[in-house]
Amino acid sequence: MSELSNLPQGTRPANRQDLYDLIRQTSKDEFILQDMKRLGFWPKDNGQPSLSEQIITRETELHRELSALLTEKRRLEDQQAMLKELRKQRLAESRKKREETKQKREQQRKDKAEAWRAKKQQEIIYLGEQVSGGLNETLTDTEKLTSRKLPVILDAASLASTIHIPVNELRFLAFSRKVSKTTHYKRYYIPKKTGGQRLISAPMARLKKVQHWILQNILYPIQIHEAAHGFLPNKSIVSNAKPHVGAEIVINIDLKDFFPSVTYRRVKGLFQTLGYSEAIATILSLLCTEPDTDEAELDGETWYIATGERYLPQGSPASPAITNILCARLDSRLTGLAKKFGFTYTRYADDMTFSTSGEGTKNVNILKKNINKVVEDEGFILHPDKTLVMRKGSRKEVTGLVVNEKPNIERKTLRNFRALLFQLQTEGLEGKKWGNSSDIVSAIEGYANFVYMVDPVKGAKMQLQVKEIIHKWASTRPKRARKAYPKKAVSLTEPTVPAKEPVIPLQTGSLPSANNTQDTTEAKKPWWNLWKK
């Protein structure tokens, strides 16, 4: 229906704008047709409209529909343009956001890297495979440390600061590497008193300094059992021998693989028992232990390949003190066992001595049987070839000293040494030898000092003779021959996997022990000057 047909009869648009609106809503022809009908210029059919009128009306309807379609088209075109613009804006915003996110993540990465670098300067969170698991455990028993008068160390930074080294150096010295281009130990052989050679692993300067600090500040303050005499202030082989002077029966027993049996896990358990956190105990035990290694050459470079479990190296200044602390319970049990059967007990490193007189002489066999059980319970093994029972009427020796009447040096050896000194004074150093050492000067100096420790009167005279000999023949002194640590041909394509040792649970109030040991070195250890500065 046309808008014009809705107008009241005889009315016209009020103004020109209304007229224009009516024409736009219908069409010009329809407006003229309706206006002519209104004015009487066009006949009004009472029935069907005329053909002309139908054409005009149809044309108007089509025009109206077309206008509506055009309006809808414009609306849709405007919507598409709007959507396109909206997408463009969103894409720009998305790109801007991605760029901001990228910059934010890059800054976070830089901040994280900087925080990591700063953390590495203050903390140690990784020290190698199979040893880093406890570095997150920082619970420290400060009361126990204070009661033992030990330094309270809460983290790696405080440990490094206390030792006066950077954290990076502490990490470098403690890091456990299976394969490495560097080593912290100089390895060489020295002659054994009983024949053969003994491997010595002497720490290099930086590690030795740290081990001395551990020895002085952590190990020395720990009270050692009175039966121990090895490598302790005011104690020596003389103090170890005196309790056995004049005894009817003296029993010498050696522990097999003494230092190799004290593994990294036992040392770590020791430091934890003292009150240190697992993190600090891990660092300290890594500083005090070292695995056996093989040397291999590859492309002109030397590689050091670990071949087993870490253990106390023979040559470290901290090793004897650690064994003395770990043997506290062993010494206590053996002392009680000795008293029970009428014996006296002392220990110098891995040499254990029992002596008795009177009724105690009847209990030798039962004592030996019980000793073996106690030693195995404490994680050590008796050397099957180093148990010696010296009975009444025989010469009795304890750590190299004769104890029949007083601690003394065997007479024949003293006579031979005096004879050697006379030969050296008259003939010179060339071609002469004392013991198994290839360095005659070091050998006679060491033995003269040994005599002085046992008998100061005799020793002082011998020390003077040695000085005169060295002064007289210094220009002819032969060069010292030291056997280098052997290099073994090892394939770097086949990694060596160290055997795993079971973790031994700690008992309350006790020190850790190990039940498994490996036969890697001779048991007899030298007693002179290996661990002095």
Side-chain angles (χ1 to χ4, degrees):
M1 179 68 67
S2 171
E3 295 291 336
L4 292 173
S5 61
N6 293 331
L7 291 175
Q9 189 70 25
T11 62
R12 287 179 60 83
N15 50 52
R16 182 173 294 182
Q17 184 61 44
D18 291 342
L19 176 62
Y20 291 157
D21 292 339
L22 286 173
I23 293 174
R24 281 195 295 272
Q25 292 172 5
T26 57
S27 68
K28 182 178 179 181
D29 290 340
E30 185 179 13
F31 177 79
I32 294 173
L33 176 62
Q34 294 298 330
D35 202 38
M36 290 178 67
K37 285 181 178 182
R38 181 179 62 80
L39 296 175
F41 293 107
W42 191 279
K44 298 180 178 180
D45 298 330
N46 294 326
Q48 292 290 332
S50 65
L51 180 60
S52 300
E53 185 177 355
Q54 290 180 11
I55 292 173
I56 293 173
T57 301
R58 181 57 181 163
E59 182 183 5
T60 301
E61 291 175 356
L62 292 174
H63 178 73
R64 188 180 297 110
E65 291 177 3
L66 179 60
S67 297
L69 291 174
L70 290 174
T71 301
E72 181 67 17
K73 178 183 177 183
R74 285 192 297 271
R75 187 183 70 81
L76 292 176
E77 287 177 348
D78 292 340
Q79 187 177 14
Q80 292 294 330
M82 181 181 65
L83 290 175
K84 184 176 180 180
E85 184 65 23
L86 183 60
R87 291 192 190 99
K88 186 177 179 180
Q89 291 178 0
R90 287 181 178 177
L91 181 60
E93 292 175 358
S94 177
R95 288 175 177 172
K96 181 180 179 181
K97 188 174 181 180
R98 283 201 303 269
E99 185 63 26
E100 291 176 350
T101 302
K102 182 179 179 180
Q103 293 178 358
K104 182 178 179 181
R105 288 178 178 174
E106 179 65 18
Q107 186 61 41
Q108 288 176 345
R109 187 191 66 79
K110 292 180 179 179
D111 293 344
K112 187 176 180 180
E114 184 63 30
W116 175 254
R117 283 191 291 269
K119 187 175 183 179
K120 287 176 64 176
Q121 295 296 324
Q122 298 297 324
E123 300 180 25
I124 295 178
I125 58 177
Y126 185 74
L127 285 174
E129 298 178 7
Q130 301 177 351
V131 297
S132 302
L135 292 175
N136 294 326
E137 303 297 331
T138 58
L139 182 61
T140 302
D141 193 336
T142 56
E143 291 185 5
K144 184 180 289 187
L145 293 174
T146 303
S147 66
R148 295 177 181 270
K149 298 182 180 180
L150 299 178
V152 178
I153 302 171
L154 302 178
D155 51 35
S158 61
L159 175 59
S161 175
T162 305
I163 303 177
H164 304 296
I165 62 174
V167 173
N168 287 341
E169 182 174 347
L170 181 65
R171 183 187 296 107
F172 171 69
L173 295 175
F175 205 95
S176 178
R177 299 170 179 85
K178 301 299 181 182
V179 179
S180 176
K181 292 183 180 180
T182 61
T183 178
H184 299 303
Y185 288 85
K186 294 179 180 179
R187 297 175 175 86
Y188 57 91
Y189 287 99
I190 64 171
K192 293 171 58 179
K193 183 179 179 181
T194 56
Q197 293 181 318
R198 187 186 316 282
L199 175 64
I200 299 298
S201 298
M204 295 184 182
R206 288 194 291 178
L207 180 59
K208 187 175 182 180
K209 172 188 172 183
V210 174
Q211 290 177 349
H212 271 298
W213 184 91
I214 295 173
L215 175 66
Q216 296 291 336
N217 296 276
I218 297 179
L219 302 177
Y220 270 169
I222 303 300
Q223 186 174 359
I224 305 301
H225 195 276
E226 60 182 8
H229 292 263
F231 312 101
L232 293 171
N234 303 320
K235 288 190 175 184
S236 64
I237 60 172
V238 178
S239 66
N240 183 65
K242 282 182 177 179
H244 308 288
V245 171
E248 294 182 16
I249 293 181
V250 175
I251 305 174
N252 285 333
I253 300 176
D254 277 13
L255 296 176
K256 184 179 181 181
D257 301 331
F258 188 51
F259 285 100
S261 66
V262 182
T263 61
Y264 158 78
R265 299 186 184 188
R266 295 186 71 178
V267 179
K268 178 180 174 181
L270 164 63
F271 286 116
Q272 286 183 270
T273 303
L274 296 180
Y276 289 106
S277 66
E278 186 175 357
I280 297 301
T282 297
I283 298 173
L284 293 174
S285 57
L286 289 173
L287 292 170
C288 294
T289 58
E290 178 75 358
D292 286 326
T293 59
D294 285 338
E295 293 184 25
E297 294 289 341
L298 181 64
D299 297 332
E301 294 182 317
T302 301
W303 295 81
Y304 301 90
I305 307 167
T307 59
E309 187 77 18
R310 300 179 71 94
Y311 63 88
L312 289 181
Q314 189 162 334
S316 165
S319 293
I322 290 175
T323 57
N324 279 336
I325 297 173
L326 282 170
C327 288
R329 189 170 61 185
L330 171 69
D331 291 335
S332 178
R333 294 181 66 182
L334 291 180
T335 298
L337 186 65
K339 289 181 179 180
K340 177 180 179 180
F341 294 107
F343 280 76
T344 299
Y345 163 74
T346 62
R347 180 182 59 82
Y348 191 94
D350 60 342
D351 294 333
M352 300 185 300
T353 303
F354 298 81
S355 64
T356 187
S357 297
E359 292 296 323
T361 58
K362 302 177 182 179
N363 300 324
V364 173
N365 292 332
I366 190 172
L367 175 69
K368 289 169 60 179
K369 182 178 179 180
N370 282 274
I371 290 172
N372 187 61
K373 183 178 184 305
V374 171
V375 168
E376 289 183 356
D377 286 347
E378 294 302 321
F380 297 98
I381 299 176
L382 294 181
H383 200 296
D385 302 326
K386 297 291 183 68
T387 298
L388 179 62
V389 179
M390 295 166 283
R391 299 184 181 274
K392 187 176 181 179
S394 64
R395 187 182 68 196
K396 304 175 183 64
E397 290 188 8
V398 177
T399 50
L401 299 181
V402 178
V403 294
N404 289 57
E405 297 178 359
K406 66 175 183 178
N408 206 349
I409 301 172
E410 197 267 325
R411 294 179 183 179
K412 182 178 179 180
T413 306
L414 276 178
R415 286 197 301 268
N416 292 339
F417 187 66
R418 289 192 183 99
L420 174 65
L421 294 181
F422 178 77
Q423 292 177 358
L424 294 175
Q425 284 178 320
T426 57
E427 301 174 10
L429 304 175
E430 189 68 29
K432 301 300 188 296
K433 187 177 181 181
W434 178 253
N436 294 319
S437 176
S438 58
D439 187 344
I440 181 62
V441 173
S442 297
I444 61 176
E445 281 182 327
Y447 196 78
N449 293 336
F450 167 59
V451 176
Y452 180 82
M453 178 180 63
V454 179
D455 190 331
V457 177
K458 295 178 182 178
K461 294 179 181 180
M462 292 181 176
Q463 286 177 332
L464 181 60
Q465 284 181 280
V466 169
K467 289 181 181 179
E468 292 174 351
I469 292 169
I470 296 174
H471 179 72
K472 183 177 181 179
W473 303 102
S475 60
T476 62
R477 178 179 181 179
K479 293 183 179 179
R480 182 177 181 181
R482 172 179 287 181
K483 185 172 181 180
Y485 187 67
K487 295 182 179 180
K488 301 179 182 179
V490 178
S491 172
L492 295 181
T493 60
E494 297 180 2
T496 302
V497 181
K500 295 183 178 180
E501 179 182 348
V503 178
I504 306 302
L506 297 181
Q507 298 179 1
T508 304
S510 63
L511 294 174
S513 63
N515 292 330
N516 295 329
T517 59
Q518 296 179 347
D519 187 3
T520 56
T521 62
E522 292 294 330
K524 187 71 176 179
K525 307 298 185 299
W527 44 263
W528 58 91
N529 296 337
L530 285 179
W531 291 274
K532 290 186 178 180
K533 293 184 181 180

PDB file of all heavy atoms in Angstrom, residues 192-212:
ATOM      1  N   LYS A 192     107.261 -49.696  49.595  1.00  0.00           N
ATOM      2  CA  LYS A 192     106.654 -50.179  50.838  1.00  0.00           C
ATOM      3  C   LYS A 192     107.722 -50.821  51.715  1.00  0.00           C
ATOM      4  O   LYS A 192     108.701 -51.389  51.236  1.00  0.00           O
ATOM      5  CB  LYS A 192     105.571 -51.205  50.526  1.00  0.00           C
ATOM      6  CG  LYS A 192     104.366 -50.617  49.822  1.00  0.00           C
ATOM      7  CD  LYS A 192     103.425 -51.696  49.340  1.00  0.00           C
ATOM      8  CE  LYS A 192     102.964 -52.568  50.491  1.00  0.00           C
ATOM      9  NZ  LYS A 192     102.031 -53.606  50.031  1.00  0.00           N
ATOM     10  N   LYS A 193     107.540 -50.705  53.013  1.00  0.00           N
ATOM     11  CA  LYS A 193     108.502 -51.276  53.957  1.00  0.00           C
ATOM     12  C   LYS A 193     108.618 -52.785  53.792  1.00  0.00           C
ATOM     13  O   LYS A 193     109.690 -53.375  53.953  1.00  0.00           O
ATOM     14  CB  LYS A 193     108.066 -50.931  55.385  1.00  0.00           C
ATOM     15  CG  LYS A 193     109.020 -51.402  56.464  1.00  0.00           C
ATOM     16  CD  LYS A 193     108.515 -50.982  57.834  1.00  0.00           C
ATOM     17  CE  LYS A 193     109.447 -51.482  58.928  1.00  0.00           C
ATOM     18  NZ  LYS A 193     108.964 -51.110  60.279  1.00  0.00           N
ATOM     19  N   THR A 194     107.491 -53.417  53.458  1.00  0.00           N
ATOM     20  CA  THR A 194     107.466 -54.874  53.317  1.00  0.00           C
ATOM     21  C   THR A 194     107.742 -55.315  51.888  1.00  0.00           C
ATOM     22  O   THR A 194     107.591 -56.483  51.554  1.00  0.00           O
ATOM     23  CB  THR A 194     106.099 -55.413  53.762  1.00  0.00           C
ATOM     24  OG1 THR A 194     105.066 -54.764  53.008  1.00  0.00           O
ATOM     25  CG2 THR A 194     105.880 -55.162  55.236  1.00  0.00           C
ATOM     26  N   GLY A 195     108.136 -54.368  51.020  1.00  0.00           N
ATOM     27  CA  GLY A 195     108.383 -54.695  49.628  1.00  0.00           C
ATOM     28  C   GLY A 195     107.241 -54.249  48.743  1.00  0.00           C
ATOM     29  O   GLY A 195     106.111 -54.066  49.176  1.00  0.00           O
ATOM     30  N   GLY A 196     107.524 -54.069  47.459  1.00  0.00           N
ATOM     31  CA  GLY A 196     106.495 -53.597  46.542  1.00  0.00           C
ATOM     32  C   GLY A 196     106.392 -52.091  46.572  1.00  0.00           C
ATOM     33  O   GLY A 196     107.251 -51.382  47.110  1.00  0.00           O
ATOM     34  N   GLN A 197     105.338 -51.577  46.003  1.00  0.00           N
ATOM     35  CA  GLN A 197     105.136 -50.140  45.918  1.00  0.00           C
ATOM     36  C   GLN A 197     103.725 -49.762  46.340  1.00  0.00           C
ATOM     37  O   GLN A 197     102.794 -50.545  46.215  1.00  0.00           O
ATOM     38  CB  GLN A 197     105.393 -49.649  44.486  1.00  0.00           C
ATOM     39  CG  GLN A 197     106.857 -49.778  44.070  1.00  0.00           C
ATOM     40  CD  GLN A 197     107.072 -49.266  42.661  1.00  0.00           C
ATOM     41  OE1 GLN A 197     106.264 -49.521  41.768  1.00  0.00           O
ATOM     42  NE2 GLN A 197     108.163 -48.548  42.457  1.00  0.00           N
ATOM     43  N   ARG A 198     103.619 -48.535  46.827  1.00  0.00           N
ATOM     44  CA  ARG A 198     102.326 -48.037  47.288  1.00  0.00           C
ATOM     45  C   ARG A 198     101.962 -46.780  46.509  1.00  0.00           C
ATOM     46  O   ARG A 198     102.799 -45.890  46.325  1.00  0.00           O
ATOM     47  CB  ARG A 198     102.398 -47.705  48.774  1.00  0.00           C
ATOM     48  CG  ARG A 198     101.041 -47.346  49.374  1.00  0.00           C
ATOM     49  CD  ARG A 198     101.188 -46.877  50.820  1.00  0.00           C
ATOM     50  NE  ARG A 198     102.092 -47.722  51.575  1.00  0.00           N
ATOM     51  CZ  ARG A 198     101.778 -48.914  52.069  1.00  0.00           C
ATOM     52  NH1 ARG A 198     100.582 -49.415  51.836  1.00  0.00           N
ATOM     53  NH2 ARG A 198     102.666 -49.607  52.757  1.00  0.00           N
ATOM     54  N   LEU A 199     100.730 -46.726  46.021  1.00  0.00           N
ATOM     55  CA  LEU A 199     100.260 -45.565  45.272  1.00  0.00           C
ATOM     56  C   LEU A 199      99.864 -44.452  46.240  1.00  0.00           C
ATOM     57  O   LEU A 199      99.062 -44.661  47.147  1.00  0.00           O
ATOM     58  CB  LEU A 199      99.062 -45.939  44.399  1.00  0.00           C
ATOM     59  CG  LEU A 199      98.399 -44.778  43.644  1.00  0.00           C
ATOM     60  CD1 LEU A 199      99.360 -44.166  42.638  1.00  0.00           C
ATOM     61  CD2 LEU A 199      97.138 -45.259  42.942  1.00  0.00           C
ATOM     62  N   ILE A 200     100.427 -43.277  46.038  1.00  0.00           N
ATOM     63  CA  ILE A 200     100.096 -42.100  46.837  1.00  0.00           C
ATOM     64  C   ILE A 200      99.366 -41.101  45.946  1.00  0.00           C
ATOM     65  O   ILE A 200      99.820 -40.787  44.843  1.00  0.00           O
ATOM     66  CB  ILE A 200     101.359 -41.453  47.434  1.00  0.00           C
ATOM     67  CG1 ILE A 200     102.076 -42.438  48.350  1.00  0.00           C
ATOM     68  CG2 ILE A 200     101.005 -40.181  48.199  1.00  0.00           C
ATOM     69  CD1 ILE A 200     101.266 -42.897  49.542  1.00  0.00           C
ATOM     70  N   SER A 201      98.242 -40.606  46.416  1.00  0.00           N
ATOM     71  CA  SER A 201      97.482 -39.565  45.715  1.00  0.00           C
ATOM     72  C   SER A 201      97.586 -38.288  46.531  1.00  0.00           C
ATOM     73  O   SER A 201      96.868 -38.104  47.515  1.00  0.00           O
ATOM     74  CB  SER A 201      96.015 -39.976  45.547  1.00  0.00           C
ATOM     75  OG  SER A 201      95.906 -41.152  44.767  1.00  0.00           O
ATOM     76  N   ALA A 202      98.507 -37.430  46.145  1.00  0.00           N
ATOM     77  CA  ALA A 202      98.756 -36.191  46.887  1.00  0.00           C
ATOM     78  C   ALA A 202      97.953 -35.056  46.265  1.00  0.00           C
ATOM     79  O   ALA A 202      98.060 -34.807  45.066  1.00  0.00           O
ATOM     80  CB  ALA A 202     100.239 -35.859  46.868  1.00  0.00           C
ATOM     81  N   PRO A 203      97.126 -34.356  47.049  1.00  0.00           N
ATOM     82  CA  PRO A 203      96.325 -33.261  46.494  1.00  0.00           C
ATOM     83  C   PRO A 203      97.198 -32.098  46.051  1.00  0.00           C
ATOM     84  O   PRO A 203      98.231 -31.805  46.665  1.00  0.00           O
ATOM     85  CB  PRO A 203      95.414 -32.859  47.654  1.00  0.00           C
ATOM     86  CG  PRO A 203      96.163 -33.265  48.874  1.00  0.00           C
ATOM     87  CD  PRO A 203      96.915 -34.511  48.499  1.00  0.00           C
ATOM     88  N   MET A 204      96.777 -31.438  45.006  1.00  0.00           N
ATOM     89  CA  MET A 204      97.483 -30.245  44.547  1.00  0.00           C
ATOM     90  C   MET A 204      97.190 -29.079  45.477  1.00  0.00           C
ATOM     91  O   MET A 204      96.332 -29.161  46.362  1.00  0.00           O
ATOM     92  CB  MET A 204      97.100 -29.937  43.104  1.00  0.00           C
ATOM     93  CG  MET A 204      97.540 -31.005  42.128  1.00  0.00           C
ATOM     94  SD  MET A 204      97.169 -30.567  40.412  1.00  0.00           S
ATOM     95  CE  MET A 204      97.755 -32.032  39.568  1.00  0.00           C
ATOM     96  N   ALA A 205      97.911 -27.984  45.255  1.00  0.00           N
ATOM     97  CA  ALA A 205      97.972 -26.901  46.246  1.00  0.00           C
ATOM     98  C   ALA A 205      96.604 -26.385  46.672  1.00  0.00           C
ATOM     99  O   ALA A 205      96.321 -26.260  47.869  1.00  0.00           O
ATOM    100  CB  ALA A 205      98.817 -25.763  45.688  1.00  0.00           C
ATOM    101  N   ARG A 206      95.726 -26.077  45.700  1.00  0.00           N
ATOM    102  CA  ARG A 206      94.438 -25.462  46.063  1.00  0.00           C
ATOM    103  C   ARG A 206      93.563 -26.419  46.858  1.00  0.00           C
ATOM    104  O   ARG A 206      92.955 -26.027  47.861  1.00  0.00           O
ATOM    105  CB  ARG A 206      93.709 -24.987  44.803  1.00  0.00           C
ATOM    106  CG  ARG A 206      94.338 -23.762  44.167  1.00  0.00           C
ATOM    107  CD  ARG A 206      93.419 -23.122  43.151  1.00  0.00           C
ATOM    108  NE  ARG A 206      93.245 -23.964  41.976  1.00  0.00           N
ATOM    109  CZ  ARG A 206      92.457 -23.636  40.955  1.00  0.00           C
ATOM    110  NH1 ARG A 206      91.766 -22.520  40.972  1.00  0.00           N
ATOM    111  NH2 ARG A 206      92.356 -24.449  39.913  1.00  0.00           N
ATOM    112  N   LEU A 207      93.493 -27.663  46.407  1.00  0.00           N
ATOM    113  CA  LEU A 207      92.681 -28.638  47.140  1.00  0.00           C
ATOM    114  C   LEU A 207      93.319 -28.959  48.490  1.00  0.00           C
ATOM    115  O   LEU A 207      92.613 -29.133  49.488  1.00  0.00           O
ATOM    116  CB  LEU A 207      92.517 -29.909  46.313  1.00  0.00           C
ATOM    117  CG  LEU A 207      91.694 -31.027  46.966  1.00  0.00           C
ATOM    118  CD1 LEU A 207      90.290 -30.541  47.297  1.00  0.00           C
ATOM    119  CD2 LEU A 207      91.632 -32.247  46.069  1.00  0.00           C
ATOM    120  N   LYS A 208      94.634 -29.036  48.538  1.00  0.00           N
ATOM    121  CA  LYS A 208      95.318 -29.332  49.795  1.00  0.00           C
ATOM    122  C   LYS A 208      95.032 -28.244  50.833  1.00  0.00           C
ATOM    123  O   LYS A 208      94.839 -28.535  52.024  1.00  0.00           O
ATOM    124  CB  LYS A 208      96.822 -29.437  49.547  1.00  0.00           C
ATOM    125  CG  LYS A 208      97.614 -29.914  50.757  1.00  0.00           C
ATOM    126  CD  LYS A 208      99.072 -30.114  50.390  1.00  0.00           C
ATOM    127  CE  LYS A 208      99.856 -30.646  51.590  1.00  0.00           C
ATOM    128  NZ  LYS A 208     101.277 -30.857  51.254  1.00  0.00           N
ATOM    129  N   LYS A 209      94.986 -26.987  50.382  1.00  0.00           N
ATOM    130  CA  LYS A 209      94.665 -25.886  51.286  1.00  0.00           C
ATOM    131  C   LYS A 209      93.277 -26.079  51.893  1.00  0.00           C
ATOM    132  O   LYS A 209      93.068 -25.900  53.105  1.00  0.00           O
ATOM    133  CB  LYS A 209      94.727 -24.561  50.520  1.00  0.00           C
ATOM    134  CG  LYS A 209      94.225 -23.360  51.315  1.00  0.00           C
ATOM    135  CD  LYS A 209      94.145 -22.132  50.427  1.00  0.00           C
ATOM    136  CE  LYS A 209      93.461 -20.971  51.158  1.00  0.00           C
ATOM    137  NZ  LYS A 209      93.302 -19.785  50.272  1.00  0.00           N
ATOM    138  N   VAL A 210      92.308 -26.448  51.060  1.00  0.00           N
ATOM    139  CA  VAL A 210      90.938 -26.663  51.545  1.00  0.00           C
ATOM    140  C   VAL A 210      90.883 -27.860  52.491  1.00  0.00           C
ATOM    141  O   VAL A 210      90.218 -27.815  53.535  1.00  0.00           O
ATOM    142  CB  VAL A 210      89.984 -26.859  50.353  1.00  0.00           C
ATOM    143  CG1 VAL A 210      88.594 -27.240  50.836  1.00  0.00           C
ATOM    144  CG2 VAL A 210      89.922 -25.594  49.508  1.00  0.00           C
ATOM    145  N   GLN A 211      91.580 -28.936  52.153  1.00  0.00           N
ATOM    146  CA  GLN A 211      91.589 -30.110  53.018  1.00  0.00           C
ATOM    147  C   GLN A 211      92.236 -29.808  54.362  1.00  0.00           C
ATOM    148  O   GLN A 211      91.793 -30.316  55.403  1.00  0.00           O
ATOM    149  CB  GLN A 211      92.309 -31.257  52.317  1.00  0.00           C
ATOM    150  CG  GLN A 211      91.526 -31.825  51.145  1.00  0.00           C
ATOM    151  CD  GLN A 211      92.286 -32.915  50.409  1.00  0.00           C
ATOM    152  OE1 GLN A 211      93.486 -33.117  50.632  1.00  0.00           O
ATOM    153  NE2 GLN A 211      91.603 -33.639  49.533  1.00  0.00           N
ATOM    154  N   HIS A 212      93.278 -28.971  54.371  1.00  0.00           N
ATOM    155  CA  HIS A 212      93.884 -28.559  55.645  1.00  0.00           C
ATOM    156  C   HIS A 212      92.896 -27.750  56.483  1.00  0.00           C
ATOM    157  O   HIS A 212      92.849 -27.892  57.711  1.00  0.00           O
ATOM    158  CB  HIS A 212      95.144 -27.736  55.390  1.00  0.00           C
ATOM    159  CG  HIS A 212      96.392 -28.568  55.280  1.00  0.00           C
ATOM    160  ND1 HIS A 212      96.859 -29.347  56.315  1.00  0.00           N
ATOM    161  CD2 HIS A 212      97.262 -28.755  54.256  1.00  0.00           C
ATOM    162  CE1 HIS A 212      97.956 -29.965  55.943  1.00  0.00           C
ATOM    163  NE2 HIS A 212      98.224 -29.636  54.694  1.00  0.00           N
TER     164      HIS A 212
END
